[in-house]
Each structure stands twice: as structure tokens, then as C-alpha cells.
């Protein structure tokens, strides 16, 4: 980046729907600080080959980060494009102007640039687009919001909740809204996501802390953190990440889930659902329900009671437990 971070720059590239979905899942720009804001949009309705990538930079981007952004859209390799300086305006607001609010059951998610009218009876969350995944505008996050709402409608109660791979904190915020007396924990492998979650918590009036009704935060791979291990077992875990990590973490997540506990999984495509489900069946979890938005299913599973030799008998933060073997993400 240039020495003047007040300058705003933009790079626009064509891309495909598949590339846009991979970008929306937060892939490709790990390690850049500051990261550009990436916005993808559909150029021609229902045409999977006609999408667009807009990258907004704070300061003139150098060749390394431009190449990294171009690598997000391999289909544009033959296109000659370069970053251009944009007028001195609020470029974050401009970049978010096309992001429509999301209304998912009782939840309404919006940015500052496009709040719209909050539907009657809906609870609004203000989540800005950022380098962390989970703004509510991807189908996987929306699917999790719908799954959480459905469990509330069914009368489910949870006392100890983990949002694994929290991104922006949105799903943890939603769970706390539904079960305001629960202990809640949110974690992410990316420390930047935890910082973003802290900022979003303040904006949305979510208290941070270790007690009931507050949100505890940890940056960690998988559940490799004393806080995450110490607060296990959880009676609700939400993991909106990717199919590969979900499969690899199956033994760890199952160990951290209380007997009879509920698990919500997302971040996978429809053709990956069978493999993900089988990985958790092997750990003693049974499918309860599934919903899909487009090609992105959300799976809800429940852990069988009294499954496995190394049983976890304590529910909630504090005290010792018998849950060794937490692995890495």
C-alpha cells in the first residue's frame, strides 16, 4: 500500500458465480493488513458466468495485493485491468451501497449505508461488510439464522452456546437474542475476526464477558484454547465454516457437545452434505433437519445420549471436565 492511506483505490474484475461464492466464504486474502473490502455482484441475472468483483483499497495497492485479488478470479486472467484511484468520498459506504438488508425470520441484518425499514417484530443487527465472513448476506449465514429461529419456535432452550468460526459475531449475537440467559462463546481462527466481533458487539449492544447473557471471545484453531475447553460441554454449537474443516473437526466438535446437545453446521455445498453428515454420524450424532438456500444447506444434528466412553457430565462454564482430545482446525 502507499504511504497515504487516505487515498481510495478500486479494482474491478469479471468473475464467475463459483468464484464469487468462494470469495464470500472468506478465502484468498489471509495475511494482508489492511485487507481490501471485496464486493461481488451478479451482472446478468441467473448467468453463473456473469458476475463482478469490486475490490476497494485504503491507499494505493502494491503489485502483490493486486495479484492476490486477481487470483480470486482466475476466469479474468486474460482481462487487462488495473487499480484506479476513486474520488475522495466515503468509499466504504459506496462499496456497501448495493448490499441489501437481509430479513431472515425474526432477524434483520443491515449495514449503515442501507438500513431500510426494519420489519415490524424483527430484531435488527448492524453488521458492516468487512474482511471477516458472516455478515448475513451469504446463504450459509442466513441458513443458520433460520435454523436458530426454528429451534426457538419449537421451544428449544439452551444454556451454553458456542459459535465456532464466528466471523463477525452475528450468529452468536442472534443466539444470545433468542436465549438471553445462556452462557455464550464465540471463537475464530483469525484474530482479526475476533477484533471485528468486539466492534460489532459494541455497535449492537452485546455485552462481553464470562457470565450468563454475555459473550466470551477467543482466537484459536478449532477448540485449542483454555477458554473453549474450560467452558465445554456446550448444549448448542453453531459452526459455519467449510466442509473440509467441518469433517476434520468432527471428533473435536462431538467431544465438546453435551449429550443430547444440538449442532448446526453450514458452509458446505449440497454435494458435500452427505460426507459431512457421515463424519458426524460416526461420532454419535443423528441428523434432525436440514434446510437449503440455493446450493448451500444448513444441517441440524443431535448428539445421542450416553454415547462414547469419555463422557462429558458437566454442563456449563467452570470446574473440571472429562473431555480430552480437542483437536486443531
Amino acid at each position: 500500500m502507499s504511504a497515504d492511506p487516505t487515498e481510495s483505490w478500486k479494482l474491478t474484475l469479471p468473475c464467475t458465480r463459483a468464484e464469487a461464492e468462494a470469495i464470500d466464504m472468506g478465502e484468498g486474502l489471509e495475511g494482508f493488513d489492511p485487507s481490501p473490502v471485496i464486493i461481488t455482484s451478479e451482472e446478468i441475472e441467473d448467468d453463473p458466468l456473469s458476475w463482478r468483483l469490486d475490490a476497494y483499497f485504503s491507499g494505493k495497492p502494491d503489485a502483490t495485493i493486486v495479484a492476490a485479488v486477481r487470483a480470486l478470479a482466475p476466469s479474468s486472467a486474460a482481462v487487462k485491468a488495473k487499480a484506479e484511484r476513486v474520488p475522495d468520498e466515503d468509499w466504504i459506504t459506496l462499496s456497501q451501497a448495493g448490499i441489501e438488508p437481509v430479513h431472515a425470520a425474526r432477524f434483520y441484518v443491515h449495514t449503515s449505508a442501507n438500513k431500510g425499514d426494519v420489519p415490524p417484530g424483527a430484531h435488527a443487527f448492524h453488521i458492516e461488510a468487512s474482511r471477516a465472513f458472516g455478515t448475513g448476506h451469504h446463504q450459509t449465514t442466513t441458513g443458520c439464522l433460520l435454523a436458530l429461529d426454528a429451534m426457538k419456535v419449537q421451544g428449544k432452550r439452551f444454556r451454553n452456546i458456542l459459535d465456532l468460526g464466528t466471523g463477525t459475531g452475528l450468529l452468536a449475537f442472534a443466539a444470545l437474542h433468542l436465549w438471553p440467559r445462556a452462557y455464550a462463546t464465540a471463537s475464530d481462527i483469525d484474530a482479526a475476526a475476533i477484533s471485528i466481533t468486539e466492534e460489532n458487539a459494541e455497535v449492537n449492544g452485546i455485552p462481553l464477558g464470562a457470565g450468563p447473557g454475555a459473550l466470551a471471545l477467543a482466537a484459536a484453531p478449532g477448540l485449542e484454547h483454555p477458554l473453549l475447553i474450560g467452558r465445554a460441554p456446550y448444549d448448542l454449537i453453531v459452526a459455519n465454516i467449510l466442509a473440509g474443516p467441518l469433517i476434520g473437526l468432527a471428533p473435536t466438535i462431538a467431544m465438546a457437545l453435551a449429550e443430547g446437545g444440538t449442532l448446526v453446521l453450514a458452509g458446505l455445498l449440497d454435494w458435500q452434505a452427505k460426507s459431512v453428515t457421515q463424519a458426524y454420524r460416526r461420532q454419535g450424532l443423528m441428523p434432525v433437519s436440514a434446510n437449503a438456500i440455493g446450493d448451500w444447506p444448513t444441517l441440524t444434528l443431535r448428539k445421542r445420549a450416553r454415547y462414547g466412553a469419555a463422557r462429558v457430565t458437566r454442563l456449563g462454564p467452570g470446574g473440571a471436565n472429562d473431555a480430552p482430545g480437542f483437536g486443531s482446525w
Side-chain angles (χ1 to χ4, degrees):
M1 296 290 183
S2 73
D4 186 0
T6 64
E7 294 181 359
S8 301
W9 290 69
K10 177 182 176 182
L11 174 66
T12 297
L13 295 168
C15 67
T16 67
R17 174 184 168 182
E19 291 166 347
E21 288 172 343
I23 293 166
D24 284 344
M25 294 304 296
E27 298 180 357
L29 293 175
E30 300 86 351
F32 288 99
D33 186 20
S35 294
V37 172
I38 305 291
I39 304 294
T40 58
S41 56
E42 192 176 32
E43 290 278 80
I44 301 176
E45 187 174 0
D46 296 327
D47 184 349
L49 300 180
S50 298
W51 283 64
R52 189 180 79 190
L53 178 160
D54 291 306
Y56 294 84
F57 305 88
S58 179
K60 184 178 180 180
D62 60 27
T64 301
I65 195 168
V66 168
V69 171
R70 290 189 64 96
L72 298 176
S75 63
S76 69
V79 175
K80 292 184 178 180
K82 65 177 182 179
E84 297 180 349
R85 186 178 177 186
V86 297
D88 293 331
E89 301 180 64
D90 185 350
W91 63 272
I92 294 181
T93 299
L94 289 174
S95 71
Q96 295 176 358
I99 300 179
E100 294 297 326
V102 172
H103 186 197
R106 72 188 71 199
F107 302 112
Y108 184 79
V109 187
H110 65 87
T111 66
S112 58
N114 201 349
K115 182 175 181 179
D117 296 321
V118 179
H123 184 84
F125 287 114
H126 175 179
I127 305 290
E128 297 292 348
S130 70
R131 62 188 181 278
F133 175 67
T135 63
H137 297 88
H138 194 277
Q139 294 95 321
T140 61
T141 312
T142 302
C144 289
L145 292 174
L146 294 174
L148 292 173
D149 182 82
M151 289 189 287
K152 181 67 174 182
V153 170
Q154 294 164 9
K156 304 292 185 185
R157 292 194 225 176
F158 300 107
R159 294 186 291 148
N160 192 22
I161 301 166
L162 172 63
D163 178 10
L164 181 65
T166 191
T168 63
L170 173 60
L171 296 179
F173 302 166
L176 266 178
H177 175 72
L178 296 175
W179 298 283
R181 297 182 180 178
Y183 291 89
T185 311
S187 70
D188 202 284
I189 194 171
D190 185 358
I194 297 303
S195 296
I196 290 167
T197 297
E198 289 177 337
E199 296 168 4
N200 287 335
E202 182 177 1
V203 169
N204 289 280
I206 306 297
L208 299 179
L215 182 63
L217 301 175
L223 282 93
E224 286 193 355
H225 193 285
L227 175 71
L228 303 181
I229 296 173
R231 291 170 73 93
Y234 304 93
D235 55 356
L236 173 63
I237 298 178
V238 182
N240 180 18
I241 43 180
L242 294 170
L246 286 177
I247 292 172
L249 281 170
T252 297
I253 291 175
M255 185 77 75
L257 188 65
E259 292 179 359
T262 299
L263 175 63
V264 177
L265 301 177
L268 56 145
L269 288 159
D270 51 7
W271 60 270
Q272 299 169 317
K274 183 177 179 180
S275 297
V276 173
T277 301
Q278 287 177 340
Y280 285 87
R281 278 184 178 273
R282 288 192 289 269
Q283 303 302 322
L285 278 77
M286 297 298 295
V288 174
S289 63
N291 65 66
I293 303 176
D295 298 329
W296 301 90
T298 301
L299 310 178
T300 302
L301 305 96
R302 185 168 296 120
K303 186 176 179 179
R304 293 173 179 169
R306 296 186 298 278
Y307 179 85
R311 292 179 57 195
V312 177
T313 57
R314 177 191 56 79
L315 177 64
N321 65 62
D322 297 317
F326 291 96
S328 298
W329 169 12

